[in-house]
Amino acid sequence: MSPSLQRNPREALLQAAVSGPERAAQGWAEWTAGREIDQVNWDELRLLGAIARRSEELGVGPAKRPRLEGIRRFIWAGTQMKIAAALPVLRSLAERKIPFALLKGVALIAGGFLTPGERFVRDVDILVPRGRLAEAVETLLDAGWQAERYGSLDEIFSLGFPRCHALGFGSPSNPDDEIDLHLSAVELNRFVASDAALWSHAVERKLFVLTALVPAAEHLLCICLMHSYLSDRPDALDWAIDATVLAKREDFAWPLFFEESRRRGAEVLVRERIRKLVDLGAVSLPESAQRQLDGIAGEPAFIREFESLSSRRSQRHRAFRDVNVE
């Protein structure tokens, strides 16, 4: 076992969550040697939902299985409640014939990639076409949902969306229930045509009884890996669970994924994350995909120049800084 896993219990837990059976069992044994389930932090708890379904192959003892099942049920209940709170608004969007695509965790659940017990959903992320954005905002406001810091439609479009790629709207009955309305799928790609390929490959799926669009696995993986560097929880590891279930699909089209990564200017970001998954034994790449991955060049000169010129710590700056460190 590598020294890095011995030094970092979170890495051992990540190995237990995404690696192949033998390495996953080793990671679980190492993590449990130094940690108790009752002592987990929030990031560890989010990994334990996916680990619960692997109890048998990980060799989880009978004393710990009920605790893991309890965590899985906690994640399942919390996720179901977040989705249920957003459904009336999503239904109103559908009734007004405003197209919307699900993103992030709720897209993985609706697309059948993960179950609600494996993936905690903190908020429901949706992307709407730019030409229908004002109608989508009106739909949220009509339902009593309020944008944080922006009290009116004018403020949302004069102060909110000019500076943000997505705005969070809180429920009138429970402000902790949130819908993130996206102008663009990812903060780094805010051009008008940035999400054109995403829309063209999205397919209809069911979210409970509601029909919604879900991006293709290749687009979801690209967004997942990019967002892992842009998240407000930079030390989180649950991105690897999302990425593993997407990349392991038998019909996953690696050329489409690398093309989307290149088009979004995220090749260096996704390269390091894919390498991490391969090193963990979570995914194995076809020979052609490995060649594409190896062909992605670094850009240290760009990063140095960006750091010297940047007067503020933007998300783009932070993302490329972090990948340069890796």
Side-chain angles (χ1 to χ4, degrees), residues 2-319:
S2 69
S4 62
L5 288 179
Q6 294 173 351
R7 289 193 299 268
N8 190 338
R10 294 188 326 121
E11 289 285 334
L13 192 62
L14 177 62
Q15 182 175 322
V18 302
S19 298
E22 185 175 346
R23 289 188 62 187
Q26 292 172 352
W28 176 252
E30 182 190 344
W31 185 81
T32 53
R35 295 283 283 166
E36 292 291 337
I37 293 179
D38 292 340
Q39 301 171 339
V40 297
N41 58 38
W42 181 240
D43 288 334
E44 289 172 316
L45 184 140
R46 289 170 69 104
L47 293 177
L48 288 173
I51 286 174
R53 65 177 167 81
R54 309 187 72 182
S55 292
E56 188 170 339
E57 64 180 341
L58 295 180
V60 178
K64 288 185 171 63
R65 290 196 183 193
R67 305 310 305 275
L68 284 179
E69 179 61 18
I71 289 173
R72 188 196 68 80
R73 288 176 179 271
F74 167 78
I75 293 173
W76 180 91
T79 292
Q80 296 281 53
M81 291 171 67
K82 295 293 183 183
I83 296 174
L87 276 179
V89 173
L90 302 185
R91 191 175 293 112
S92 294
L93 293 174
E95 290 171 353
R96 297 185 185 191
K97 300 190 183 306
I98 301 172
F100 62 92
L102 304 174
L103 299 173
K104 301 181 184 177
V106 70
L108 291 168
I109 291 170
F113 302 107
L114 287 170
T115 68
E118 296 171 309
R119 180 57 157 84
F120 182 82
V121 169
R122 184 181 64 179
D123 44 42
V124 172
D125 291 87
I126 60 171
L127 174 72
V128 301
R130 295 192 179 205
R132 309 296 300 274
L133 190 63
E135 294 172 79
V137 171
E138 289 173 348
T139 301
L140 282 154
L141 296 179
D142 289 347
W145 291 64
Q146 292 294 317
E148 185 181 2
R149 295 190 298 273
Y150 308 109
S152 68
L153 192 66
D154 285 343
E155 288 185 356
I156 287 169
F157 282 96
S158 63
L159 301 174
F161 278 119
R163 59 179 292 272
C164 301
H165 78 293
L167 292 181
F169 288 77
S171 165
S173 56
N174 181 2
D176 288 336
D177 292 330
E178 185 175 309
I179 293 175
D180 276 1
L181 180 62
H182 283 248
L183 170 78
S184 54
V186 190
E187 195 273 344
L188 298 185
N189 305 126
R190 299 185 61 187
F191 295 115
V192 172
S194 290
D195 299 314
L198 181 153
W199 284 109
S200 68
H201 288 88
V203 296
E204 289 188 346
R205 292 289 184 264
K206 288 290 187 181
L207 182 66
F208 290 173
V209 297
L210 185 69
T211 299
L213 289 171
V214 173
E218 295 79 9
H219 293 267
L220 288 174
L221 179 59
C222 185
I223 292 169
C224 165
L225 299 182
M226 292 177 71
H227 188 260
S228 71
Y229 283 103
L230 305 170
S231 171
D232 55 3
R233 296 164 43 249
D235 293 329
L237 293 173
D238 51 348
W239 65 266
I241 294 173
D242 296 356
T244 298
V245 298
L246 291 165
K248 287 178 71 172
R249 288 179 59 88
E250 290 184 4
D251 59 350
F252 191 85
W254 286 101
L256 175 61
F257 165 74
F258 284 116
E259 172 59 24
E260 180 70 354
S261 303
R262 183 200 62 76
R263 200 177 60 80
R264 289 187 179 273
E267 289 177 291
V268 177
L269 300 181
V270 304
R271 179 191 65 186
E272 296 311 304
R273 292 305 198 213
I274 295 295
R275 283 177 172 174
K276 171 95 170 170
L277 295 177
V278 171
D279 289 344
L280 283 166
V283 300
S284 57
L285 300 183
E287 206 172 294
S288 58
Q290 186 64 56
R291 286 197 300 271
Q292 283 185 277
L293 188 72
D294 293 340
I296 297 174
E299 42 186 327
F302 163 78
I303 296 167
R304 286 195 297 270
E305 180 182 6
F306 194 87
E307 287 180 340
S308 68
L309 297 177
S310 178
S311 60
R312 64 187 181 90
R313 299 297 183 181
S314 69
Q315 283 190 310
R316 182 175 180 85
H317 174 275
R318 191 181 79 191

